[in-house]
Amino acid sequence: MSDIIEAYLKEFLKDSKHIEIKRSDIADHFDCVPSQINYVINTRFTQEHGYQVESKRGGGGYIRILKIQLTSEADQIDQMLELIGDQLSYRNGVNIIETLIEQQIITKREGRLILSVIEKSVLHTISNQDQVARAMLLKTFLHQLKYELRSSI
């Protein structure tokens, strides 16, 4: 169900920079509970995926989903580097890699290779601070990718 709701919302975002929805309207449309809509928005429309979400609660409340428009691939990488910080959960790492693939900055094969390196079981055998190690590895990859993009111009 989550995939269907995500696809439905992304269909509207294809032709627009943002959409405004009422959580209850979307829940009624899909005959599901409003918390299902929250789940989709909180997991599929994150900054790591290239979206910003604003909401207003109450009777006239809404949820606004904005597609973040960056001017270049290097800008996208800079934003991702900023999001990572000193620690990175596996889920957020996956989100970043999925976004790089979706934006065609890296291939699916490259994404799978990176994911294999930042996987919990791999990092835990190396360090008991797997979130710190994951952040360092992904930042190193993104810095190299940014360097490659700039040197190819």
Side-chain angles (χ1 to χ4, degrees):
M1 178 65 90
S2 294
D3 292 340
I4 295 167
I5 295 168
E6 175 188 12
Y8 177 80
L9 295 173
K10 283 185 175 179
E11 186 63 34
F12 289 108
L13 285 164
K14 278 184 181 177
D15 301 324
S16 178
K17 293 181 183 178
H18 76 279
I19 58 170
E20 251 181 50
I21 60 169
K22 285 193 172 233
R23 187 177 64 143
S24 58
D25 291 346
I26 302 297
D28 288 345
H29 178 77
F30 287 101
D31 194 28
C32 66
V33 294
S35 62
Q36 179 75 33
I37 307 305
N38 281 350
Y39 172 79
V40 171
I41 290 169
N42 292 334
T43 59
R44 312 286 176 97
F45 293 92
T46 63
Q47 284 187 318
E48 293 91 354
H49 283 109
Y51 298 94
Q52 181 178 346
V53 177
E54 300 171 352
S55 63
K56 179 184 172 216
R57 298 200 180 265
Y62 61 84
I63 297 172
R64 182 179 296 138
I65 303 171
L66 302 116
K67 200 177 347 175
I68 298 171
Q69 297 293 325
L70 299 170
T71 56
S72 71
E73 291 175 342
D75 288 340
Q76 288 177 312
I77 292 170
D78 282 338
Q79 182 187 15
M80 289 176 185
L81 284 164
E82 202 173 294
L83 288 171
I84 292 173
D86 294 333
Q87 295 187 9
L88 183 68
S89 70
Y90 180 71
R91 181 73 241 153
N92 286 342
V94 169
N95 291 345
I96 288 171
I97 299 305
E98 286 175 349
T99 300
L100 290 169
I101 294 168
E102 190 175 292
Q103 299 295 323
Q104 298 180 340
I105 296 172
I106 63 172
T107 65
K108 285 183 182 181
R109 180 177 182 266
E110 291 166 335
R112 284 192 305 271
L113 290 170
I114 297 161
L115 288 174
S116 71
V117 172
I118 65 167
E119 192 173 289
K120 292 176 188 178
S121 60
V122 172
L123 292 180
H124 195 66
T125 59
I126 298 169
S127 168
N128 62 353
Q129 296 184 350
D130 57 326
Q131 290 200 10
V132 173
R134 184 177 298 109
M136 289 174 63
L137 286 167
L138 199 49
K139 281 181 173 180
T140 301
F141 166 74
L142 290 171
H143 281 296
Q144 182 62 36
L145 185 59
K146 186 175 164 186
Y147 172 78
E148 301 259 337
L149 287 170
R150 292 210 170 146
S151 66
S152 68
I153 294 177

